[in-house]
Amino acid sequence: MENHSESHIVPYKTYLYILAALIALTVISVAASNIEFGGFTVFVALLLASIKSSLVLIYFMHLKFDNKILQILVPLIFLLVGLVLFITFLDYNFR
Amino acid sequence: MDTSIIVEDEHRDDEGSKLGMWLFIFTELLLFAGLFIVYGVYRYLNPEAFHLAAQQLSVSVGTINTIILLISSATIAMASSSIRLKNKKLTLILLISTLVMALIFMVNKYFEWSGKIHHGFFPSSDTLHTLGNGDTLFFGLYFFMTGLHALHILVGVVLITIVVVRVSKNTLTDENPVLLDNSGLYWHLVDLIWIFLFPLFYLLT
C-alpha cells in the first residue's frame, strides 16, 4: 500500500510570485488607508485582506492541489463566519 | 516465494493527518472569528473612540511585521517543496529563515508592547480609565488578540524547531514530509490571522 500521497510539488517560483503579490497588496492596503473612502474604508480594507488570505489559502496552504473535500470545507467555514457576522450586525442594527 | 526479506510496513495515513490538521485549523479560525466579531460590534458601538485609539498604533511597525510574516510563510511553503526535491540543505536554510523571521516579529512585538505600556496604554491602566470605555475596549482587544496571536507564533516556533531537528537527523525526509507540511499549514494560519489583525487594528484609523 502506498503510504505517502503523491502530492504535487509546487515550484519555488510560484511561491515567490505569490509572495510578491502579497507584499504588493500590503503596500496597496497601507496606501488605501490614507485615502478617505468614507463609509467604504472598512470595506476596502477587508476586501484587500480577503484577497490576501485567499492567496495564502489557495497557494501557500495548497488548497489548489488538495482533495475536493477540503476545497469545499474551507470556503464553508468562511461562509459560516460571514453568516454569523451578518446576523450579529442585523441584531445590533435593528435593536 | 522468497520469505527471507520481511518488509515492515509502518502504518501511516498522511491524508488523515492533513485532514486532522485542517480540522484543528477550523477550530482556530472560529476562535479568532469570535474575537473579530467582538471587535466588529464594539467598533460599531464606539466608532469615535476606536478611530482615535487606532491612531496610537504605529502603521510602519505593523507593515514591517506583516511583510516579515508573509516572507516567513513563503519560506516554509518552499521548504515543503524542497524536502520533496530531496534538497536537505535548502530545506534547513528555509526552515531556519522562517524561525529567524518569527523571532524578529516577536522582538518588534516586544518593543511595540513595551512602548504602549510605557505610555500608559495597558488593560486597567489609569490613562485608559480617564479616556473612557471605547479606548479601554480597543486596547483590551488589541492586547488580547495580538497577544493570543503572539502565543501562536511561539507555538509555531517550537513546532518548526522540532521539524528542523528531525530534518537534520534525517528522520524527516521526502518519504514522510507530513509533519513539515502540517507545521507549514499551522504557520500559514498564523499568517492568515495577522492578515486580518493588521488592517483592523493598525490601518482603520
Side-chain angles (χ1 to χ4, degrees), chain B residues 141-197:
Chain B
L141 282 168
Y142 163 75
F143 277 107
F144 187 71
M145 290 175 80
T146 59
L148 192 62
H149 178 262
L151 204 64
H152 281 76
I153 298 252
L154 291 179
V155 172
V157 166
V158 173
L159 212 57
I160 297 165
T161 310
I162 293 170
V163 174
V164 167
V165 171
R166 288 198 50 189
V167 170
S168 61
K169 280 183 175 170
N170 291 321
T171 56
L172 200 161
T173 59
D174 62 306
E175 292 286 314
N176 57 340
V178 70
L179 183 66
L180 200 168
D181 291 348
N182 281 348
S183 308
L185 280 178
Y186 180 81
W187 195 252
H188 299 315
L189 163 80
V190 170
D191 192 23
L192 210 61
I193 294 163
W194 185 259
I195 285 175
F196 284 99
L197 283 178

Side-chain angles (χ1 to χ4, degrees), chain A residues 1 3-5 7 9-10 12 15-16 19 22-23 26 29-30 33 41-42 45-46 49-50 52-53 56-57 60-61 63 66-67 69-70 73-74 77-78 80-81 84-85 88-89 92-93, chain B residues 9-10 12 14-15 18-19 22 25-26 29-30 33 37 40-41 44-45 59 63 66-67 70-71 73-74 77-78 81-82 84-85 90 175 185 188-189 191-192 195-196 198-200 203-204:
Chain A
M1 205 185 112
N3 259 331
H4 47 274
S5 52
S7 56
I9 302 178
V10 184
Y12 301 130
Y15 289 130
L16 290 175
L19 175 63
L22 286 168
I23 292 176
T26 306
S29 59
V30 174
S33 71
T41 316
V42 177
L46 285 179
S50 304
K52 281 166 75 182
S53 56
V56 170
L57 283 163
F60 284 179
M61 294 174 98
L63 275 186
D66 260 327
N67 54 21
I69 189 155
L70 281 176
L73 276 176
V74 175
I77 288 291
F78 283 92
L80 175 69
V81 172
V84 173
L85 198 67
T88 312
F89 273 92
Y92 272 92
N93 222 3
Chain B
D9 191 21
E10 178 206 358
R12 266 193 14 241
D14 287 354
E15 265 318 295
K18 194 170 68 185
L19 190 62
W22 269 103
I25 285 174
F26 290 164
L29 285 174
L30 292 177
I37 291 170
V41 167
Y44 180 71
L45 296 177
V59 175
T63 310
T66 306
I67 291 172
L70 290 174
I71 296 172
S73 237
M78 285 159 84
S81 290
S82 69
R84 287 185 167 77
L85 297 167
L90 183 62
E175 292 286 314
L185 280 178
H188 299 315
L189 163 80
D191 192 23
L192 210 61
I195 285 175
F196 284 99
F198 170 60
L200 289 179
L203 293 183
L204 292 177

Side-chain angles (χ1 to χ4, degrees), chain B residues 107-122:
Chain B
V107 170
N108 280 344
K109 193 98 267 171
Y110 166 76
F111 283 115
E112 203 189 359
W113 270 33
S114 42
K116 290 287 153 303
I117 292 167
H118 183 73
H119 287 105
F121 297 109
F122 54 89

Side-chain angles (χ1 to χ4, degrees), chain B residues 21-64:
Chain B
M21 191 66 204
W22 269 103
L23 289 176
F24 169 66
I25 285 174
F26 290 164
T27 68
E28 291 277 68
L29 285 174
L30 292 177
L31 166 70
F32 275 93
L35 290 167
F36 281 121
I37 291 170
V38 172
Y39 171 92
V41 167
Y42 282 134
R43 187 178 186 105
Y44 180 71
L45 296 177
N46 308 280
E48 208 44 45
F50 270 57
H51 171 81
L52 292 173
Q55 290 175 356
Q56 298 288 334
L57 299 184
S58 159
V59 175
S60 48
V61 174
T63 310
I64 291 166

